[in-house]
């Protein structure tokens, strides 16, 4: 089980948000976003921020760092090490199972991630037969995008997706992210897409839009 940083917004959480960081960061990276994101009327939420394992990253001269997978190519169609992606998806599933064991059903779990973390979220989402409440993919893309139709399982498209990206992102070009969003829509996912004037980062306007999207998940129909 991955080590995690956890924050609870109230006693006896009714929802969980599992949030994966980007390359070279750790579980503390997005913890400060909680007070900016959370709204007073929301139910009690447990935020879970896991630390990725340390592994050599090929494009960084093999330097070990926290990473959800190795980056083996500059071509985004083959950029992500498939074995590493699969391992991280399995570790994410362990965290989901732990939340379920703590009393949070899958339909009250949101999976979120930034950059590499978001890539794992989208990969996991394709393969989930028991839908979670939603998928949040920030400044990221879908790895193995050409294989996505064959990886999609029954029930997965019930999961709504929030995607946001910077128009000046130098790490993951905007068009790569847009193509991923289009592929996901073609597969049948409902994708809410946002573009912001920013680089490879998160901005206040984006956090507000994500809050609106989460608000819709938390509000009973």
């Amino acid at each position: 089980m991955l080590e995690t940083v956890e924050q609870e917004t109230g006693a006896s959480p009714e929802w969980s948000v599992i949030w994966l960081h980007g390359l070279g960061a750790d579980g503390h990276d997005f913890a400060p976003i909680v007070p900016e994101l959370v709204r007073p009327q929301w139910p009690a939420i447990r935020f879970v921020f896991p630390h990725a394992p340390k592994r050599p990253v090929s494009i960084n001269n093999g330097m070990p760092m926290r990473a959800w997978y190795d980056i083996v190519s500059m071509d985004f169609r083959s950029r992500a090490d498939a074995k590493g992606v699969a391992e991280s998806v399995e570790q994410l599933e362990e965290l989901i199972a732990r939340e379920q064991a703590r009393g949070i059903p899958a339909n009250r779990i949101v999976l979120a991630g930034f950059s590499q973390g978001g890539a794992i979220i989208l990969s996991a989402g394709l393969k989930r037969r028991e839908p979670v409440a939603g998928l949040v993919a920030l400044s990221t893309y879908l790895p193995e995008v050409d294989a996505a139709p064959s990886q999609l399982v029954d029930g997965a498209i019930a999961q709504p997706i929030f995607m946001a990206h910077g128009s000046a992102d130098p790490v993951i070009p905007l068009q790569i992210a847009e193509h991923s969003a289009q592929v996901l829509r073609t597969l049948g996912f409902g994708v809410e897409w946002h573009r912001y004037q920013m680089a490879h980062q998160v901005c206040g306007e984006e956090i507000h839009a994500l809050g609106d999207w989460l608000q819709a998940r938390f509000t009973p129909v």
Side-chain angles (χ1 to χ4, degrees):
M1 183 73 67
L2 295 173
E3 293 184 11
T4 60
V5 175
E6 297 189 7
Q7 291 188 33
E8 295 183 359
T9 64
S12 304
E14 302 170 48
W15 288 73
S16 293
V17 177
I18 303 174
W19 198 311
L20 308 188
H21 61 76
L23 176 67
D26 64 20
H28 295 284
D29 196 37
F30 276 91
I33 210 171
V34 172
E36 291 186 64
L37 179 65
V38 171
R39 299 180 182 179
Q41 69 271 29
W42 285 2
I45 305 164
R46 178 185 297 117
F47 284 85
V48 179
F49 301 99
H51 302 304
K54 289 185 177 179
R55 68 183 80 215
V57 176
S58 296
I59 65 162
N60 288 343
N61 297 316
M63 182 183 298
M65 61 183 62
R66 293 198 183 277
W68 298 108
Y69 52 84
D70 187 15
I71 300 174
V72 297
S73 167
M74 297 308 294
D75 182 349
F76 279 88
R77 293 181 184 276
S78 58
R79 178 183 179 89
D81 162 43
K83 181 173 180 288
V85 170
E87 288 173 353
S88 289
V89 167
E90 187 175 324
Q91 289 172 317
L92 174 61
E93 287 295 335
E94 290 176 356
L95 292 173
I96 294 169
R98 185 176 69 171
E99 290 310 296
Q100 291 177 296
R102 293 201 278 190
I104 310 294
N107 64 2
R108 289 193 174 189
I109 297 174
V110 175
L111 305 179
F114 175 81
S115 195
Q116 266 207 349
I120 298 302
I121 297 303
L122 293 177
S123 295
L126 286 177
K127 305 173 182 70
R128 275 207 64 83
R129 297 185 184 279
E130 183 181 17
V132 295
L135 309 172
V136 177
L138 309 179
S139 299
T140 194
Y141 70 107
L142 178 64
E144 301 177 278
V145 67
D146 296 333
S150 64
Q151 294 176 351
L152 182 68
V153 301
D154 291 341
I157 63 170
Q159 301 167 118
I161 301 176
F162 178 97
M163 289 187 74
H165 212 86
S167 58
D169 192 325
V171 178
I172 301 171
L174 177 64
Q175 61 267 31
I176 298 295
E178 287 178 330
H179 177 63
S180 292
Q182 186 54 50
V183 167
L184 290 164
R185 286 194 180 108
T186 300
L187 291 175
F189 286 93
V191 179
E192 181 173 320
W193 170 262
H194 295 265
R195 181 175 70 180
Y196 299 99
Q197 293 293 322
M198 63 179 185
H200 195 64
Q201 62 192 99
V202 174
C203 67
E205 189 180 355
E206 177 183 11
I207 294 170
H208 183 80
L210 175 57
D212 289 344
W213 184 86
L214 288 170
Q215 174 83 31
R217 312 280 82 76
F218 299 147
T219 304
V221 177

